Amino acid sequence: MKKIVLIFFYSLFWRNFLKLIIGLNYINREILFKSKQFILIANHNSHMDTMAIMSSIPIKNISKTHPMAALDFFGGNKIKKFLMRNLINATLIDRNPELQKEKPIQIMDDILKKGRSLLLYPEGSRGISHNISNFKNGLAILIQNNPNIDVIPVYLKDIHKTLPKGSKLIVPFKCKIIFGQPIQFDSYDLNDILVKSQCSLIELKENY
Amino acid sequence: MILDIDFSSPNNLLVLIIFMILILASSVFFIWKRIQPNALVDQMIKTTQSWWVMCFVFLFAILSNTVITILAIALLSFVALRELVSALNINIDYRSSVFLCYLSIFFQYFFIYKGWFIEAIIFLPLFILVILPCSMIISTCRKGFLRSYSFLSISVILAVYSISHLAFLITFIHLDNLSSKSLLLFLIFLTQINDIMQFIFGKIFGRNKILPYVSPNKTWEGFLGGLLSTTIIGCLIGFLTPFNYYELIVVSTIIAVLGFLGDSFLSAIKRDVGVKDLGVSISGHGGFFDRIDSLVIISAPFFYIFYFLLEL
């Protein structure tokens, strides 16, 4: 049932809305079809980012892919929480360390161990457009623990124009979502992983 | 009924001509590829395939009932405006004004659909003069006002004002023994033929550049060849218009010249912004606005030529 809702919400509604009204152009989307389980890492400038990425995920994987969302921001009341879990397919994470029952890294690791996929914004919160800031350490720990899972960089170009931070008005602008090849890590040192994954995202940004 | 097919009517004769040209082009390129395969032919085959799709969509949109035609032209305006606004790099602090520009499409085509001539004519000039600057002034942004204002107004003029005159042709001109869509077919067919002929003559005979600073691919030979063949073809498909041969020659020449200038106008804008095409929507053609760029100057004058001729 949840899968049908998700397919309807993302693959039908959002994909067509983004394509036809907003003018989103999916580039190299076929990369997603090649891997069964993946960690998507993307730059984050707008709430539209999650919609754009989730709408491009193949139907067979859509219910198995979870975006991460902050509990204090998105889980304000019960209705919001219910919608986030069932319509967005998000996993809510408490950012306040005192209230955490389980560490966020542990939650994400469990999801990966169950054979499910993650969508992460390693910059943390919504950053400045045209600028990829430093990645957070959690990503490296996650990749270190699960070396067999494909890490796919996703660069979102100009999507922040359609819905910038602090705005509620959606305005169509042509934009692009670019998928890169899964990252090949040479060493699984924490720092190397961070540098490598950040470089691959910057590379995508510069090539398109 | 959505489609009314009557093969004695001028519109359907033109449909027949269009498909014959397409079949001819496809078979020529097919044979050419067999004899001498190269990159140019592959490109041409791709372009022709897009032409097939475009012709089907375009003819369906035009020959359906009037509401669908107006909706299709409004959609064209929307896509063209989106391409322009995205390419011109407008300060995103003025996004609410950009939103109003999108909204103006709705009002403009609503007036056209209702047949309110005065409203449809004055709405966009007033929009650019009053609503657009007011909305920009009350937004919190202080930087790049003039730049964003001129970019937005030029986008509205090119994408909405100019293209909406195609819909004016259907709603506001009533001919005695012709369907109101014949003129629209005549205009669009002739501008596109002009583009193709300019391209063909330019490729074969092109030597002397006509506008080296704006559009280096355009040549005198292409322009004159296009002008000549457009005039001849314009006379041949004169059955779509109420004109006699002298008038047809004049109108076809105007269409060819203004079509060429419209094409160059958009090239100049694109060159200034630093992009080659405004989009990638049509394979082998670029964006939607790249395909209809020759219409931007001609559509409004063409409408007023008819409007005043019929008033006389």
Side-chain angles (χ1 to χ4, degrees):
Chain A
M1 181 61 200
K2 193 179 169 187
K3 193 174 176 181
I4 296 168
V5 172
L6 285 174
I7 288 172
F8 184 79
F9 186 66
Y10 283 123
S11 306
L12 251 94
F13 172 73
W14 275 106
R15 192 182 298 165
N16 289 315
F17 176 77
L18 287 166
K19 243 191 202 170
L20 302 176
I21 310 286
I22 304 289
L24 178 68
N25 193 2
Y26 296 90
I27 295 171
N28 294 339
R29 192 179 152 231
E30 63 278 359
I31 288 170
L32 285 180
F33 288 83
K34 284 176 197 153
S35 30
K36 263 183 144 175
Q37 194 189 0
F38 40 72
I39 301 173
L40 297 169
I41 52 170
N43 59 327
H44 195 22
N45 298 318
S46 154
H47 289 316
M48 210 59 125
D49 294 347
T50 309
M51 302 305 157
I53 297 172
M54 288 299 283
S55 69
S56 56
I57 286 167
I59 287 175
K60 64 177 188 319
N61 272 338
I62 192 125
S63 59
K64 288 186 191 166
T65 311
H66 300 279
M68 292 294 131
L71 184 69
D72 48 292
F73 199 87
F74 293 102
N77 52 40
K78 278 200 171 150
I79 299 168
K80 256 187 173 174
K81 251 186 210 169
F82 178 81
L83 286 179
M84 284 305 284
R85 291 225 168 94
N86 292 290
L87 204 57
I88 314 280
N89 204 18
T91 302
L92 293 166
I93 281 178
D94 208 329
R95 283 196 285 197
N96 188 345
E98 287 161 20
L99 299 173
Q100 283 167 2
K101 289 176 204 147
E102 225 179 337
K103 282 204 161 170
I105 293 283
Q106 196 54 46
I107 299 173
M108 291 187 235
D109 208 48
D110 288 347
I111 292 173
L112 289 177
K113 289 272 160 21
K114 278 184 211 155
R116 291 164 174 264
S117 306
L118 283 180
L119 159 58
L120 298 177
Y121 299 110
E123 292 170 292
S125 160
R126 283 173 294 170
I128 311 156
S129 50
H130 306 302
N131 193 5
I132 295 172
S133 42
N134 283 338
F135 284 7
K136 297 226 165 151
N137 265 328
L139 174 73
I141 300 168
L142 214 56
I143 295 172
Q144 203 177 34
N145 292 344
N146 304 278
N148 298 325
I149 298 172
D150 290 339
V151 181
I152 299 175
V154 185
Y155 183 66
L156 300 147
K157 195 185 176 211
D158 289 348
I159 294 189
H160 67 279
K161 283 188 181 178
T162 62
L163 187 69
K165 205 172 181 172
S167 174
K168 288 201 166 69
L169 182 69
I170 298 176
V171 180
F173 278 99
K174 281 183 94 87
C175 43
K176 281 178 187 163
I177 174 168
I178 306 140
F179 296 91
Q181 293 295 341
I183 305 170
Q184 307 287 335
F185 292 102
D186 305 322
S187 90
Y188 281 93
D189 181 56
L190 282 184
N191 214 16
D192 287 350
I193 293 176
L194 280 184
V195 171
K196 179 86 187 180
S197 45
Q198 196 173 357
C199 282
S200 55
L201 201 56
I202 291 171
E203 200 180 313
L204 271 188
K205 177 193 171 189
E206 262 148 40
N207 288 348
Y208 287 92
Chain B
M1 202 163 119
I2 299 174
L3 281 170
D4 45 352
I5 297 174
D6 165 23
F7 278 102
S8 62
S9 85
N11 290 355
N12 294 324
L13 200 57
L14 188 80
V15 175
L16 211 62
I17 295 174
I18 289 175
F19 281 117
M20 271 156 64
I21 294 173
L22 279 174
I23 291 167
L24 183 73
S26 291
S27 33
V28 164
F29 291 132
F30 183 74
I31 295 166
W32 190 1
K33 193 181 159 76
R34 279 294 159 87
I35 298 169
Q36 194 188 31
N38 58 32
L40 180 68
V41 185
D42 290 338
Q43 175 64 30
M44 288 296 104
I45 288 173
K46 218 167 139 193
T47 315
T48 319
Q49 279 168 354
S50 303
W51 272 119
W52 273 99
V53 179
M54 274 191 283
C55 285
F56 270 113
V57 174
F58 161 72
L59 289 173
F60 173 77
I62 297 233
L63 298 175
S64 313
N65 63 36
T66 312
V67 181
I68 292 183
T69 314
I70 291 178
L71 270 178
I73 298 173
L75 202 65
L76 195 62
S77 269
F78 171 70
V79 177
L81 183 66
R82 194 175 69 194
E83 283 176 353
L84 270 178
V85 169
S86 311
L88 289 180
N89 206 0
I90 288 153
N91 191 342
I92 60 159
D93 291 336
Y94 291 120
R95 348 183 7 269
S96 48
S97 311
V98 178
F99 187 77
L100 284 180
C101 292
Y102 285 116
L103 212 60
S104 76
I105 297 175
F106 170 76
F107 283 106
Q108 173 76 352
Y109 285 93
F110 177 72
F111 294 146
I112 294 172
Y113 166 68
K114 282 283 180 188
W116 301 342
F117 185 58
I118 303 289
E119 283 85 343
I121 277 190
I122 63 166
F123 172 65
L124 283 173
L126 283 184
F127 175 79
I128 290 170
L129 182 67
V130 181
I131 302 175
L132 195 54
C134 289
S135 78
M136 287 176 76
I137 284 164
I138 59 174
S139 73
T140 50
C141 184
R142 294 282 175 278
K143 268 199 310 207
F145 180 86
L146 181 61
R147 195 182 129 92
S148 299
Y149 176 56
S150 21
F151 282 175
L152 280 179
S153 9
I154 204 162
S155 306
V156 172
I157 288 191
L158 291 183
V160 192
Y161 184 76
S162 165
I163 291 176
S164 68
H165 277 79
L166 298 177
F168 276 47
L169 278 172
I170 313 172
T171 323
F172 299 120
I173 288 188
H174 303 288
L175 300 167
D176 295 337
N177 44 13
L178 281 168
S179 120
S180 56
K181 287 168 181 168
S182 307
L183 291 174
L184 186 58
L185 280 171
F186 178 79
L187 174 64
I188 296 180
F189 180 73
L190 221 52
T191 48
Q192 300 303 321
I193 280 288
N194 185 34
D195 275 6
I196 296 167
M197 284 302 172
Q198 271 179 22
F199 179 77
I200 293 172
F201 276 91
K203 271 271 182 258
I204 299 174
F205 304 108
R207 296 274 182 283
N208 307 305
K209 294 196 182 338
I210 182 167
L211 295 167
Y213 300 110
V214 175
S215 183
N217 290 329
K218 294 200 172 62
T219 55
W220 274 105
E221 290 80 359
F223 170 61
L224 293 174
L227 184 65
L228 193 68
S229 38
T230 305
T231 312
I232 294 169
I233 293 167
C235 292
L236 291 179
I237 60 162
F239 55 80
L240 290 169
T241 62
F243 291 143
N244 62 33
Y245 276 107
Y246 300 111
E247 291 164 336
L248 273 176
I249 290 173
V250 175
V251 169
S252 309
T253 315
I254 293 174
I255 288 179
V257 174
L258 289 186
F260 168 79
L261 289 174
D263 197 344
S264 313
F265 181 19
L266 224 65
S267 297
I269 291 176
K270 283 184 277 189
R271 177 157 288 258
D272 213 10
V273 183
V275 292
K276 192 180 162 288
D277 287 328
L278 289 172
V280 288
S281 318
I282 315 173
S283 154
H285 294 262
F288 282 94
F289 214 173
D290 298 307
R291 187 61 269 141
I292 53 161
D293 51 7
S294 17
L295 277 168
V296 293
I297 292 186
I298 182 62
S299 58
F302 186 80
F303 168 73
Y304 290 110
I305 288 173
F306 271 97
Y307 190 73
F308 289 114
L309 277 184
L310 292 176
E311 287 283 291
L312 289 177

